[in-house]
Amino acid sequence: MENPGPGSDPSPEGGGATSGVRSPGPLPYEGVWRFTATAVDASVPQARHAVRDLLVRQGVPVSDDLVHGLLLIVSELVTNAVKHAALLSPMLAVEVAVGAEWVRVSVEDNHPYRPTALEADHGQTGGRGLLLVREVTREYGGVCDVEHTASGGKVIWAALPLAPGA
């Protein structure tokens, strides 16, 4: 995993301002880490474990409840990339960005289709992944979105505040 440095905004571009006043320089846990994986089923638990281990290793001040939500989001996003994008995108990228007040997870693939959160039939056993991501993100007071990449693929991201009500 690489760490190109701290970010100030949970959006993928990192162009916005942070809220609140803070000391100069990044906090020890701030940064951006990215890793790639093949679009296969085994990558789902691997991505989940890598994100959890990264949060612990960096000493990110997150509650167990927030970690659970983040890992659920990572699982759903990687699963979607494996199930729906693998044919055109045999590799996917997982990124974790941590700021002073938020943590963002994103999954990028090279498939051009921009998915939407579907309201699935109650009798259906699948198809609720993005709906679940949206609801978990909302429950934690975060934001999520799907954006096109310069290469023609997409990145799906969710940013959650580190502290409740932040």
Side-chain angles (χ1 to χ4, degrees), residues 16-162:
T18 59
S19 61
V21 178
R22 51 180 284 225
S23 61
L27 295 170
Y29 57 81
E30 287 184 84
V32 179
W33 296 266
R34 183 178 176 92
F35 57 94
T36 58
T38 54
V40 296
D41 290 337
S43 293
V44 177
Q46 290 171 351
R48 192 172 49 244
H49 293 301
V51 170
R52 184 196 62 225
D53 294 347
L54 172 69
L55 295 172
V56 170
R57 185 175 59 252
Q58 293 304 121
V60 179
V62 304
S63 68
D64 289 342
D65 189 47
L66 185 64
V67 170
H68 178 74
L70 285 167
L71 297 181
L72 179 59
I73 290 169
V74 168
S75 292
E76 292 299 329
L77 295 182
V78 174
T79 297
N80 282 350
V82 167
K83 283 183 152 185
H84 304 294
L87 186 61
L88 295 178
S89 182
M91 297 296 292
L92 59 93
V94 177
E95 184 175 280
V96 179
V98 183
E101 300 171 0
W102 51 265
V103 59
R104 182 188 73 231
V105 293
S106 61
V107 174
E108 180 178 338
D109 63 57
N110 289 322
H111 195 290
Y113 174 70
R114 182 182 169 125
T116 57
L118 301 175
E119 302 289 337
D121 181 324
H122 290 293
Q124 194 175 359
T125 59
R128 296 186 185 99
L130 288 179
L131 176 64
L132 183 58
V133 167
R134 186 178 68 197
E135 292 305 313
V136 169
T137 301
R138 185 181 343 209
E139 178 181 321
Y140 286 97
V143 293
C144 62
D145 202 1
V146 179
E147 299 179 0
H148 289 287
T149 63
S151 65
K154 66 185 162 304
V155 60
I156 306 174
W157 59 271
L160 308 179
L162 290 175

